[in-house]
């Protein structure tokens, strides 16, 4: 197992190196003038020329890349051209909101998707199975921004039981303030023991989390159902049933353990994708997350911020892929040999 983990870690480093090279080159060939945006719209030609030297844009590309990687390895992710703040500080400000939303959304997708997928496989071709499959297709097919607006219309405008957007009510700053420890409001309110603020933060995250979970719930449900149907046709499952083992033991102890691998992969990749791909959800619910920051960076061709967000998401992908490979090797020891 140790050699397997080392091989996966080295492969991950190669992938990250390739991502930095590709992203750096693409960011530099996009037609733009970052030096002009750095000094502002009223800058003179001399100020723009000095900014190019200050930003290192007058150097050859390989020198720029070497300097960027050297700074990156020292923890300096560069300065954002749009905000004039260190990219690392910007990411620290926006990342916790996206992580909190993704964790809650993915937890919902697992809690709902896996049991429904198992139940659909066990009751194949029943009305329950058909209803679940329709629900899964709807979840995968529905545009997230449209679903978000429908949920706002129902739960905010018509029923008036959930807030329209934002992470917490503005009056909480005076009524029940809480310290920023992790940046995740649910966690920070629990750490500070602030129940009032926790309830308010929980109400605010319900609608965006449901919107985010719609796609992975459908995906997890369909993946779990198809894997379970394949595994339940194996000889060892029929033998277990023939020996009279309890039905739930056969389903959840033997069948689900061998069928859960593809579902884990789907959830892990969906989590990494959601971190930067939730721009529409964050825009609909005024959620100040990393997707919103990444979208603004792309629109303004803020290449240090684009590089920072891309590398961060690549690191998440590599780490989650490595964990998924280790989980697969644990569930199926034959993978370690390959």
């Amino acid at each position: 197992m140790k050699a397997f983990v080392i091989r996966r870690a080295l492969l991950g480093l190669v992938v990250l190196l390739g991502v930095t090279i590709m992203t750096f080159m693409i960011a530099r060939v996009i037609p733009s003038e970052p030096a002009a945006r750095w000094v502002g719209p009223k800058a003179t030609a001399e100020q723009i020329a000095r900014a190019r030297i200050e930003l290192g844009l007058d150097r050859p590309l390989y020198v720029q890349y070497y300097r960027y990687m050297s700074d990156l390895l020292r923890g300096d992710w560069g300065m954002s051209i749009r905000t004039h703040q260190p990219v690392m500080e910007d990411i620290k400000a926006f990342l916790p909101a996206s992580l909190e939303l993704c964790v809650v959304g993915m937890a919902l997708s697992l809690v709902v998707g896996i049991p429904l997928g198992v139940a659909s496989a066990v009751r194949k071709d029943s009305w329950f199975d058909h209803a679940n499959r329709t629900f899964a297709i709807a979840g995968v097919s529905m545009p997230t921004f449209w679903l978000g607006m429908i949920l706002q219309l129902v739960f905010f405008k018509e029923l008036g039981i959930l807030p329209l957007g934002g992470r917490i009510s503005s009056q909480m700053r005076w009524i029940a303030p809480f310290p920023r420890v992790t940046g995740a409001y649910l966690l920070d309110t629990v750490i500070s023991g602030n129940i009032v603020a926790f309830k308010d933060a929980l109400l605010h995250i319900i609608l965006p989390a449901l919107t985010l979970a719609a796609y992975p719930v459908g995906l997890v449900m369909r993946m779990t159902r198809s894997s379970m149907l394949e595994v339940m046709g194996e000889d060892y499952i029929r033998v277990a049933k023939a020996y009279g083992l309890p039905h739930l033991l056969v389903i959840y102890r033997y069948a689900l353990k061998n069928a859960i691998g593809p579902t884990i992969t789907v959830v892990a990749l969906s989590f990494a994708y959601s971190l930067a791909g939730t721009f529409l959800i964050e825009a609909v619910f005024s959620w100040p997350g990393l997707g919103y920051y990444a979208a603004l960076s792309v629109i303004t061709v803020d290449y240090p911020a684009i590089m920072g967000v891309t590398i961060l998401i690549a690191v998440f992908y590599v780490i989650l892929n490595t964990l998924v490979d280790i989980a697969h090797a644990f569930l199926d020891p034959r993978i370690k040999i390959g």
Side-chain angles (χ1 to χ4, degrees), residues 34-56:
R37 287 196 305 281
W38 175 261
V39 292
K42 297 181 180 179
T44 63
E46 290 77 14
Q47 290 174 319
I48 294 175
R50 282 199 300 272
R52 285 184 59 81
I53 297 173
E54 181 185 349
L55 296 173

Side-chain angles (χ1 to χ4, degrees), residues 190-209:
V190 169
I191 292 173
S192 61
N194 192 332
I195 302 301
V196 175
F198 174 78
K199 289 180 179 176
D200 191 72
L202 186 62
L203 290 176
H204 277 78
I205 204 172
I206 289 176
L207 292 186

Side-chain angles (χ1 to χ4, degrees), residues 37-88:
R37 287 196 305 281
W38 175 261
V39 292
K42 297 181 180 179
T44 63
E46 290 77 14
Q47 290 174 319
I48 294 175
R50 282 199 300 272
R52 285 184 59 81
I53 297 173
E54 181 185 349
L55 296 173
L57 298 175
D58 58 326
R59 306 290 183 85
L61 276 181
Y62 68 89
V63 176
Q64 293 183 41
Y65 178 73
Y66 174 77
R67 290 182 59 181
Y68 180 81
M69 290 302 295
S70 301
D71 292 341
L72 186 68
L73 294 176
R74 289 197 299 269
D76 181 1
W77 291 42
M79 297 288 289
S80 167
I81 293 174
R82 182 175 60 86
T83 66
H84 285 219
Q85 297 289 329
V87 172
M88 178 60 79

Side-chain angles (χ1 to χ4, degrees), residues 91-107:
I91 289 176
K92 284 180 181 177
F94 285 94
L95 180 60
S98 289
L99 275 179
E100 184 178 46
L101 180 59
C102 289
V103 168
V104 176
M106 289 301 129

Side-chain angles (χ1 to χ4, degrees), residues 102-120:
C102 289
V103 168
V104 176
M106 289 301 129
L108 280 175
S109 68
L110 288 175
V111 170
V112 176
I114 291 179
L116 289 181
V118 172
S120 285

